[in-house]
Structure formats: structure tokens, C-alpha cells
Amino acid sequence: MEPTHAEENDGTGLNRRDLIRAGTIVGLGALVTSVPLFAKSPAAAAAAPGGPEPSAPELKLTKFKDPLRIPPVLRPREHGGHDELTVRLRTADVTVHSELPPVTMWTYEGAYPGPTIETVSGRPLRVAWENQLTGSIPVTAVDFGQAKGPLPDPLSNYPGTEGCQEVAGVSALAPWAAVHLHGMLTGGGNDGWMENLIAPGEVQLSAYPNKQAATTLWYHDHTHHVSRFSVFAGLAGMFVSRNAEERALNLPKGEQDVPLILADRNFAADASGALTGRLLHKVEMVGAQRLMRAHAGPYTLVNGVVWPYLKVEPRWYRFRIVNTANSRMYRLMLLADGRPVAGAFQVIGGDQGLLDKPVPVDGALNLSPGERAEVLVDFSAFRGQALKLVNTLQGVTPGASDKRNDLLEPDVMQFRVVDRKPNTKFTLPAALSPTFKRVTDADLPQGHPTRWIVVAGPGSGNLPELWEMEEVDAAGLTFPSAGIVQVQDAQGAVKTLRRTAMAYDDGNALTASQHGVEVWKYLNLAAAPHPMHIHLAHFQVLSRENYDVTGFDRVARGSTRPVAFKAASVLEAHELGEKDVIRVGTAGQITPGPNGTPGELVTVVVRFPVVGRGVHHCHMLEHEQHMVRPLVVSPAAHLHAGGHH
């Protein structure tokens, strides 16, 4: 995101662009002021359609009343052979809607989302993350539920705490922090290890090699056990790296290169029902076992604004979309006159950079927590019209609500296309990154390790589980047995898998060799999809396959008969590139009943270029404390030195 005109002059008489060109911009704690997009652009002055709309009456806020904000931009300063930057964690009052009191949040540099850190790929970066947070966490955590099962219209659809009970131990949480630059390939000592916390007044020093393709990453708090609350409190921001390959494409830039940082929130209310602006983490506990449903807030925020609008010109735009929600998956569609716009999104990149060519989206763009997608959208056919970006569910009319599935208000934001002659200077390129290559089975080295990771539904602890598995001989085993899963592949061959670990502190960490290549097979036996994230590594997705998982006994926690291949599935556009998060499980509406949605087997090829101690885990933050396992990457020679293994 290049600075807008309003960002150019900081009031000191110094022009930031001149300083940037001279390589002398102050990056250590200095940042550009956050402003609405197009603060001084001609499009803002031109007439545009659309306008505010009422939301669901219970939500009390007007949709599309406030303009989209663009996060401030931070650029590091050069220091010899590397760049340096200081980012301060600060408690601040943030305006997220003009009809809502300012919201107290934990932030990076006083902004939510935090400033966009913009770098040049290949320039090593050192960041000092200074913890200047004050006060206890600015979040009220509550839950609700009934013994007989889920509610048809859960209270999480609405603001306020009526009918809820407070979750013990949250309100007094002190501002410890651990910053993770999600998707950056850096050693374990710089990755933001979730137990290496910094207190107020302390500094986390992280060195990032930044040897990656031009891409969109994000940074967030990773404090062990409580990240679902600390990220919810506001500790998230975007990271962008650029390179010559990307610039040569002449993609939309400046005001046409727009971040869309998605999140959902809920807010407390006073005795009269008026919203107070206090952040409210509110979840449903289902049945007598009190199974926690995934968090879902009724208010959608884009760049920290509730249901914003954006004035656009009739031309191509580049949108960098990041799902920073705790657990909500966004199935995004663009509507014109209430109908989906066919092929609205041309996906040009995913988690880790550009694809080899643009890929149109047929249907919804599905982004699970932690995932990113870069898309191009052409507004030239919609001059003088208003369009909506909506979140939808499979089987639900796009733009319609679904209270049972946490979709009371499906609208995300509004685009107002000014009525002027379209700008036709940009042409969609036929090719994008010449250096990107899709991995195939033929590219895998002989003898590569294969790991099985099973996602199981709630067990005796009433929580979803993440199982690491090993292949064993079935001889002498009885079925069902806890932790024993048999899998029948497309050729009819049956493998028997035995659980080796599932809790965070179960035995040894999974260990990989630096520069090694492994195949990981994620098998989802649960009803809900889970976004799986691997630290210290990147991967590509080889395949998605549907499996019949009715042979898995959820009570016995093992197979009565093999879970069996049903059919191959199709990878989505943003899943064709380099990844660090992958959704395992169908993206559609969860089907009630004992078997839920069909099981999925997702196969990925993982590479480990850096060393250190990290983790692999589910990126639904409500699952992060129990669906997480240690991961260690070591130099290959160290693994076998002196005859030890």
C-alpha cells in the first residue's frame, strides 16, 4: 500500500516519499497516520451510489455508514546490511463505528489493525517489539448454553451479556505478549515462541531473514493459552513484502492496492441495552457436556471498521484479504443487485505470494482463520452502482441470514462505484510469477518421510483433538481401540495408524530435518473444518479427497472399519500456491447428525528451510491451546551425530 496524499506530509514539512527514496525515513517507532482511503482522491468527490442501511434491529448499528480505513504504514530504516524497526504495543481507544463509543483495545502502535509493515523482499529485518501495554485485558469473556443441546438462535448472534455467565480468570489477565510474524520463515528463536513472554517494559527482539517472495503476511499475539483473548483484544496487523518481479507486472497500486483485514467482534451493552463499546468474547457451550462452539461475533470489521463502505472508480483493484478472525471462516461473494457476480474474483496470490497465473473464482472465496488471498476485481462494468461483499454459507441464498449458523448479518462491506468513464489502462496479465512452480508427486524425493495428522472431534475432555500418528502392522490389534485408525485409499489399500501423541506435552516433539521435504496427510474425522498451520515451514497442497468416516467410532475413539476414500475433490484457487495454513474439512454448512460433514484427507508437501523449536496447530484460536503440538527442525547432521537419532 503506497501512501495516499494525506499520508505524504506528516505536518513537520518533511515529505515522506522523499525520505523513503533517500533511505532515511525514521522507522523506529515512527508511523504514517491512518486515514480513510481516497481522502483527497477525485473519486471521493464524484457522486457515487449506495448509502447507509439498517442492520438487524438487535445489532443497533447502521451498516455502510463509515468509510473504510486504511491502516497506517510502517517502513523500516536501513542499518548497514539489514533494516530496523521498532513497534510498540500500546493500550488505546479505537473508533470502530461512528455510532459506538470508542473501544479500548490492546494494539500495535495505537491502531487497530496495527500498522502495515512494508518491506523489500530479500532485505533482512530486525524488529524490536516493545511492550507498553497497560491495564488488564480489555475483554469481557462470557459463555451460555443449555443441557438439551444447541440453541436454534444462539445468544452469540446478539450483543450484551444477558443470559450468560462470566468466564473465570479472564478479566484480570495482565498484558504479557509474544509476537508471531505469521508466515515468515525465521528460526525458532525469532518466531515468537508462545511461552517466551514479554511483560510491560520488556522488548522482544526478532530477526527476520525476509528471504521470501513478495507476499502478504500478518503478525499477531501468540501468548500460550490465551491468544483467543489477546488477538481478540486487538493485537493483529498486516505485513507486506515487495520485489522486482511483482513490480514488473504493473498490478493496481497506490489507492487501488487495498488491504481488507477481516475480523468479527461482539460488544457489551448497559442496562438499557445501549452498546458500551466493551469487547465481548461470547461463546455457546452445547449440551450437558458443555462442548464449546467456535467463536462467532455478529459484527464484521474490515480494517477495524464495522461494515464500512469504500468508494471505488470503475477500474481494476487489487485486494489483499486476510482472515484474522478467531474462528469464523469467511465464504466471500460479491453481489450486484442482490445477485452474485460471476467470476468477480481473479485470484493472483495466496498465503505466500503470487501464483503462476490468475485463477477466477467460481462461487465463493473461502478463507479460514489465518489464510490470505490476493485478488483482482474489475469494477468497470458497474459504474454508478453499489455492490456488496457478503459472507455466506453453502445452501443459503447469498446475502441471506442464517441465525442457527451464526450469520445474523451476512454483509461485510459496500462498494460504491462512481459514475464516470471506466479506466481501461490495466489488462489482466496472462502470467504472473515466472519463479513459482506447482509441486507434483514426481517432484518428491525418494524416501521422503510421510506423516499422518488426524483431526478428531471432542473426546473425554470435551475438546477437539489433534493426533500425531504412526503406521503400524494391524496384526494382533482389536477394533475399535482408542487411537487406532484404519484408512483405505483410492486403490483399496488399507493402512493402520496408531496415535503417538495428542496433547501439547505428550512425549517428544515432532522432529524434521532442515531442508528436508516431507508429505503430511491431514485426515479430518470431525464434523467441523479446521485450519491447520505449520510454523518454520511452507507447503503446497497436493490434493483434497473426500472420505467416508462413518467407520470411526467417536466414543471408542477408534475405527470399527476403515475410513474409506469416496472421491477426489478440487483445490480452490488460493490453495494452488505456497501456503502456511490449510483448511481441512469441507467449507460448506455443517450438517447436523452423528457424522456431520464428509471427512476429508488433505495432502501437503512441506519444506523446512529454517531451524528451531516451533509448533503446528489449529488456527481456530479457541482450539489453539489444546490442538497444538511442538515441532522441532534441526540441521540434518545434528540428528545423527555420534550415532544418535
Side-chain angles (χ1 to χ4, degrees):
M1 284 61 62
E2 296 183 353
T4 65
H5 295 297
E7 295 172 323
E8 287 294 303
N9 194 297
D10 63 1
T12 64
L14 299 176
N15 182 282
R16 290 184 179 273
R17 182 167 291 173
D18 291 342
L19 290 174
I20 293 166
R21 288 171 178 167
T24 58
I25 185 168
V26 178
L28 298 179
L31 70 158
V32 184
T33 302
S34 176
V35 296
L37 188 66
F38 305 155
K40 294 186 179 180
S41 74
E53 296 180 7
S55 64
E58 299 90 346
L59 299 183
K60 304 178 186 299
L61 299 181
T62 304
K63 295 184 296 187
F64 318 138
K65 184 175 181 180
D66 300 316
L68 181 74
R69 265 200 313 261
I70 296 302
V73 175
L74 264 177
R75 295 181 177 90
R77 81 178 171 198
E78 295 183 12
H79 187 90
H82 66 273
D83 294 340
E84 291 185 347
L85 191 64
T86 293
V87 181
R88 298 167 296 180
L89 286 67
R90 297 173 46 207
T91 303
D93 291 332
V94 180
T95 298
V96 302
H97 194 283
S98 57
E99 298 171 347
L100 188 69
V103 178
T104 301
M105 304 183 84
W106 284 353
T107 73
Y108 298 102
E109 288 294 348
Y112 174 73
T116 296
I117 299 173
E118 186 169 313
T119 68
V120 176
S121 179
R123 288 282 303 174
L125 175 66
R126 297 178 185 177
V127 179
W129 305 96
E130 293 186 353
N131 187 348
Q132 298 181 10
L133 295 170
T134 57
S136 57
I137 194 165
V139 174
T140 297
V142 298
D143 61 33
F144 63 93
Q146 60 179 6
K148 62 183 180 181
L151 293 164
D153 184 8
L155 298 177
S156 46
N157 280 325
Y158 309 103
T161 59
E162 185 176 356
C164 302
Q165 60 184 5
E166 187 166 355
V167 177
V170 176
S171 62
L173 285 173
W176 293 91
V179 186
H180 172 54
L181 179 47
H182 179 121
M184 175 61 72
L185 289 173
T186 190
N190 298 289
D191 190 51
W193 178 249
M194 55 196 192
E195 292 165 333
N196 289 346
L197 306 181
I198 55 171
E202 297 180 342
V203 181
Q204 174 184 320
L205 301 175
S206 294
Y208 304 113
N210 206 15
K211 295 179 181 178
Q212 298 172 214
T215 191
T216 301
L217 309 180
W218 68 299
Y219 57 96
H220 61 86
D221 189 68
H222 213 299
T223 303
H224 196 31
H225 298 302
V226 299
S227 61
R228 63 194 184 280
F229 303 123
S230 59
V231 176
F232 193 81
L235 291 174
M238 181 182 280
F239 180 101
V240 171
S241 62
R242 301 183 184 276
N243 63 15
E245 180 181 273
E246 176 209 28
R247 292 186 184 278
L249 294 170
N250 291 317
L251 296 169
K253 60 184 179 180
E255 295 177 346
Q256 284 75 47
D257 183 354
V258 184
L260 298 179
I261 302 170
L262 307 181
D264 60 350
R265 293 292 187 273
N266 207 338
F267 303 107
D270 62 20
S272 70
L275 301 179
T276 66
R278 172 78 175 181
L279 290 170
L280 182 65
H281 185 278
K282 186 176 183 179
V283 294
E284 181 178 15
M285 310 299 286
V286 178
Q289 298 83 14
R290 291 182 56 78
L291 305 177
M292 181 189 293
R293 294 188 67 219
H295 174 272
Y299 300 93
T300 298
L301 283 69
V302 188
N303 295 357
V305 181
V306 178
W307 304 313
Y309 71 86
L310 174 63
K311 288 184 179 179
V312 297
E313 299 182 31
R315 61 184 297 173
W316 284 91
Y317 280 73
R318 177 183 188 176
F319 294 106
R320 302 170 184 263
I321 310 175
V322 186
N323 183 353
T324 69
N326 275 33
S327 291
R328 183 185 289 276
M329 186 173 68
Y330 287 96
R331 301 187 72 251
L332 300 172
M333 299 185 78
L334 192 65
L335 305 186
D337 295 324
R339 295 186 297 274
V341 177
F345 303 123
Q346 292 281 343
V347 174
I348 62 170
D351 291 351
Q352 288 294 334
L354 297 174
L355 305 179
D356 53 347
K357 61 183 179 182
V359 182
V361 172
D362 182 17
L365 174 66
N366 301 302
L367 289 180
S368 59
E371 284 191 296
R372 289 88 68 203
E374 295 190 27
V375 303
L376 298 179
V377 177
D378 184 9
F379 291 105
S380 62
F382 302 99
R383 55 183 294 188
Q385 298 183 49
L387 292 79
K388 287 183 181 181
L389 184 67
V390 301
N391 185 25
T392 186
L393 296 169
Q394 187 175 1
V396 176
T397 301
S401 63
D402 184 342
K403 294 180 180 180
R404 176 65 192 92
N405 289 290
D406 309 303
L407 200 65
L408 173 63
E409 183 51 75
D411 288 344
V412 174
M413 65 180 296
Q414 182 188 71
F415 294 100
R416 302 176 184 177
V417 189
V418 297
D419 190 4
R420 61 170 49 181
K421 183 179 179 180
N423 184 317
T424 58
K425 293 181 180 179
F426 176 76
T427 301
L428 184 69
L432 294 168
S433 172
T435 59
F436 171 74
K437 181 181 181 297
R438 277 286 298 163
V439 174
T440 66
D441 287 321
D443 299 316
L444 300 179
Q446 289 188 347
H448 64 79
T450 297
R451 310 217 188 235
W452 285 84
I453 311 293
V454 167
V455 178
S460 59
N462 295 329
L463 298 168
E465 296 172 346
L466 185 68
W467 298 359
E468 292 175 0
M469 313 292 286
E470 63 179 358
E471 291 188 34
V472 297
D473 191 334
L477 297 177
T478 59
F479 299 93
S481 294
I484 303 294
V485 177
Q486 289 192 305
V487 182
Q488 185 178 49
D489 64 20
Q491 289 73 43
V494 175
K495 286 184 170 61
T496 302
L497 310 175
R498 178 173 59 196
R499 185 179 65 212
T500 59
M502 66 175 181
Y504 175 63
D505 54 359
D506 273 354
N508 295 329
L510 189 156
T511 302
S513 297
Q514 184 189 21
H515 304 307
V517 177
E518 300 186 356
V519 171
W520 286 28
K521 291 182 174 291
Y522 286 106
L523 177 62
N524 190 351
L525 304 176
H530 293 262
M532 306 311 301
H533 175 46
I534 306 175
H535 290 225
L536 313 181
H538 288 175
F539 56 81
Q540 286 191 30
V541 186
L542 280 181
S543 63
R544 279 189 180 278
E545 297 172 321
N546 293 331
Y547 269 69
D548 176 1
V549 297
T550 56
F552 178 72
D553 188 319
R554 298 175 186 232
V555 176
R557 315 299 288 163
S559 296
T560 57
R561 65 179 188 279
V563 298
F565 173 85
K566 291 178 63 178
S569 189
V570 178
L571 297 183
E572 299 176 26
H574 67 289
E575 297 175 343
L576 298 173
E578 291 286 326
K579 297 280 291 172
D580 52 61
V581 177
I582 185 63
R583 185 194 76 246
V584 184
T586 57
Q589 186 173 356
I590 297 173
T591 303
N595 299 315
T597 52
E600 271 201 338
L601 178 67
V602 177
T603 302
V604 303
V605 179
V606 192
R607 296 177 304 283
F608 301 94
V610 296
V611 302
R613 184 177 177 88
V615 289
H616 68 99
H617 62 88
C618 175
H619 215 287
M620 298 174 79
L621 298 187
E622 280 68 37
H623 295 172
E624 195 175 55
Q625 72 273 25
H626 55 270
M627 294 185 70
V628 57
R629 283 283 300 148
L631 167 67
V632 173
V633 183
S634 294
H638 288 202
L639 294 176
H640 306 287
H644 295 290
H645 299 277

